[in-house]
Amino acid sequence: MYLEYVKSAIASIRSNKGRSFLTMLGIIIGIAAVLTVLIIGDGMKATVNDEMDSIGATTVSVSLDTSKTDKTFDLEQIRTIGENIKDIMGTSPSINVGGNFVNRQKTYDCFITGATEATANAAGVEMVHGRYYSKNDVLEAKRVITISQTAANRLFGYEEVVGNILTLDAFGTEAELTIIGVTKDTAMDTAYAMFGDEATLMGAMPYSTVADIYQFSTDGISSFNIYLDSENKDAVLASARSVVENVMGIRGENAVKISSSMGFDQTTESILNIITSVVAIIAAISLLVGGIGVMNIMTVSVTERTREIGIRKSLGARTSSILTQFLAEAAILTFTGGIIGMLFGFTVSYTICQVVGFSFTINPLLVVIVVLISTAIGLFFGIYPAKRAAQLDPIEALRTE
């Protein structure tokens, strides 16, 4: 019986193709708009998270509050702390140096990060040529350096520069360094290189090399970094403070300060979620307009088919049968519009993501929800015209011209 209702509804829709399409148009636009906004929002969040990871979103900085303790870290204590914290990639004192890269009469401002080999995993470093510096490079304070793709192109005019010698001028001291690797540009590399001849180029080298060249003391270290996988961030943050206090013998002094860019990452994601939700709600208004369009067209359909309804009821059709048929017609219209709108939304969102460079991912749950919403709209806005049709008096309906 229900199959007959569906067949009858489809026949009615096919007999009024133009009107049926206009009815679905509001649903198509509404579903496509909402879906496009949500997919682009997810892509934007995924892209931002990837960029945050690439600039050190998995780095935790540990320091001591000098107003509460006069103790500082040494290399052995930092190593001990790292050995007692589970699920981390390593620890390192971080020495940052600003200066100039000098090569072939070209001079650029530079920013050098001196750390350990653990940085290669934690900061999402991707090698394009050569290799990252190793544990042995750190232990022997070898004069080696890795630079970004942008730095290689600016300094040498090409990327494959492994083995070349680069001069670093900082604090009035020049040092010749061998380039052992070229790293893929991160968002930070690109941002700092945007200023043409005034660009700041990025590089990385063993912290021990920086300390050796510029006579920095590795005793009395005020802070260090812990490198970790973002999946383990909660466990690491929970245990890091306790381990540091135990190793340094300062339990109860509340002198350990732990900061992480992951907090900024979470804040950014929250802001993006709010923006996406607000825009999606605005886009959803078009769904309301589409639903009202369904109700209007179905009401017109009831008016046009009043005599047909009267004949069917006079032949014994029940009120529930008339109600079900019109609800089926409304549901089929919106379900079909939802499917078309979904495909249209996928196409538009994919195109936009490709143009702006966002990740394109489809959440299967989102697809199910969209289909259910489009069908529910048809049922909800189809109730009024369906009830009106079902409650018609057969005698009055038959008198209708």
Side-chain angles (χ1 to χ4, degrees):
M1 182 174 61
Y2 289 105
L3 183 60
E4 290 300 321
Y5 294 150
V6 172
K7 288 181 178 179
S8 178
I10 292 175
S12 177
I13 292 171
R14 293 180 65 181
S15 64
N16 295 280
K17 295 183 179 66
R19 187 170 66 188
S20 298
F21 175 74
L22 292 176
T23 304
M24 290 189 293
L25 192 58
I27 302 297
I28 292 171
I29 294 174
I31 292 294
V34 173
L35 203 56
T36 298
V37 169
L38 293 177
I39 290 177
I40 292 175
D42 287 343
M44 182 166 54
K45 285 185 287 185
T47 302
V48 169
N49 287 335
D50 289 343
E51 293 295 346
M52 288 298 296
D53 285 342
S54 73
I55 61 174
T58 50
T59 301
V60 173
S61 176
V62 180
S63 60
L64 298 176
D65 189 338
T66 55
S67 66
K68 297 180 180 179
T69 182
D70 58 357
K71 292 186 176 181
T72 55
F73 301 108
D74 59 35
L75 294 178
E76 183 60 33
Q77 288 169 330
I78 292 174
R79 185 161 45 249
T80 302
I81 291 169
E83 291 171 352
N84 284 276
I85 300 177
K86 296 181 179 179
D87 301 321
I88 65 173
M89 297 175 178
T91 59
S92 171
S94 181
I95 304 176
N96 298 319
V97 176
N100 299 106
F101 281 145
V102 181
N103 182 62
R104 296 180 182 177
Q105 307 304 316
K106 293 182 179 179
T107 300
Y108 284 95
D109 291 339
C110 68
F111 185 82
I112 304 297
T113 299
T116 68
E117 71 285 352
T119 314
N121 294 321
V125 174
E126 184 177 339
M127 302 306 301
V128 179
H129 303 289
R131 63 176 179 87
Y132 205 69
Y133 54 83
S134 65
K135 184 176 182 179
N136 188 56
D137 294 328
V138 176
L139 292 175
E140 297 182 11
K142 290 185 177 180
R143 298 200 172 191
V144 295
I145 189 171
T146 65
I147 61 176
S148 67
Q149 289 174 287
T150 296
N153 282 313
R154 290 291 179 90
L155 292 165
F156 297 92
Y158 55 96
E159 283 187 10
E160 178 53 279
V161 295
V162 175
N164 287 7
I165 302 300
L166 179 62
T167 300
L168 172 62
D169 182 2
F171 306 110
T173 299
E174 289 190 353
E176 290 189 344
L177 305 168
T178 301
I179 300 172
I180 59 171
V182 177
T183 58
K184 183 176 180 179
D185 282 342
T186 65
M188 182 177 290
D189 295 321
T190 303
Y192 275 93
M194 289 175 60
F195 303 102
D197 291 338
E198 303 299 322
T200 298
L201 306 181
M202 313 299 287
M205 55 197 292
Y207 77 88
S208 53
T209 305
V210 178
D212 178 57
I213 294 173
Y214 300 106
Q215 300 301 302
F216 292 157
S217 174
T218 53
D219 294 323
I221 299 169
S222 60
S223 66
F224 69 94
N225 293 329
I226 299 174
Y227 304 111
L228 61 142
D229 190 314
S230 58
E231 293 180 358
N232 304 319
K233 61 185 178 182
D234 293 332
V236 171
L237 290 174
S239 63
R241 186 181 303 277
S242 176
V243 171
V244 173
E245 288 178 342
N246 287 339
V247 172
M248 300 301 295
I250 53 175
R251 180 168 289 281
E253 297 182 22
N254 196 30
V256 179
K257 296 191 294 184
I258 297 179
S259 61
S260 169
S261 55
M262 289 183 294
F264 176 73
D265 191 18
Q266 293 167 352
T267 301
T268 303
E269 185 166 355
S270 298
I271 293 173
L272 292 177
N273 282 334
I274 293 172
I275 294 173
T276 302
S277 299
V278 171
V279 177
I281 290 172
I282 295 173
I285 294 175
S286 60
L287 277 177
L288 177 62
V289 175
I292 294 173
V294 171
M295 184 171 64
N296 287 339
I297 295 299
M298 292 302 297
T299 302
V300 171
S301 179
V302 169
T303 302
E304 290 182 348
R305 295 160 62 187
T306 300
R307 187 173 181 82
E308 173 195 333
I309 294 168
I311 293 173
R312 292 186 60 190
K313 295 195 76 172
S314 65
L315 294 175
R318 291 177 297 179
T319 298
S320 60
S321 299
I322 304 296
L323 177 66
T324 303
Q325 181 185 343
F326 278 88
L327 280 178
E329 190 171 328
I332 290 171
L333 279 172
T334 51
F335 175 80
T336 305
I339 296 297
I340 297 173
M342 187 170 61
L343 296 175
F344 185 53
F346 288 158
T347 303
V348 173
S349 57
Y350 176 78
T351 302
I352 294 175
C353 286
Q354 291 298 306
V355 171
V356 300
F358 289 164
S359 300
F360 178 74
T361 55
I362 297 176
N363 186 344
L365 180 61
L366 187 62
V367 176
V368 174
I369 291 175
V370 166
V371 173
L372 291 178
I373 288 176
S374 62
T375 306
I377 288 173
L379 293 175
F380 178 78
F381 285 98
I383 287 176
Y384 169 72
K387 284 186 66 177
R388 181 180 173 185
Q391 293 172 353
L392 283 174
D393 181 86
I395 296 176
E396 294 297 325
L398 286 170
R399 288 176 179 172
T400 302
E401 293 294 334

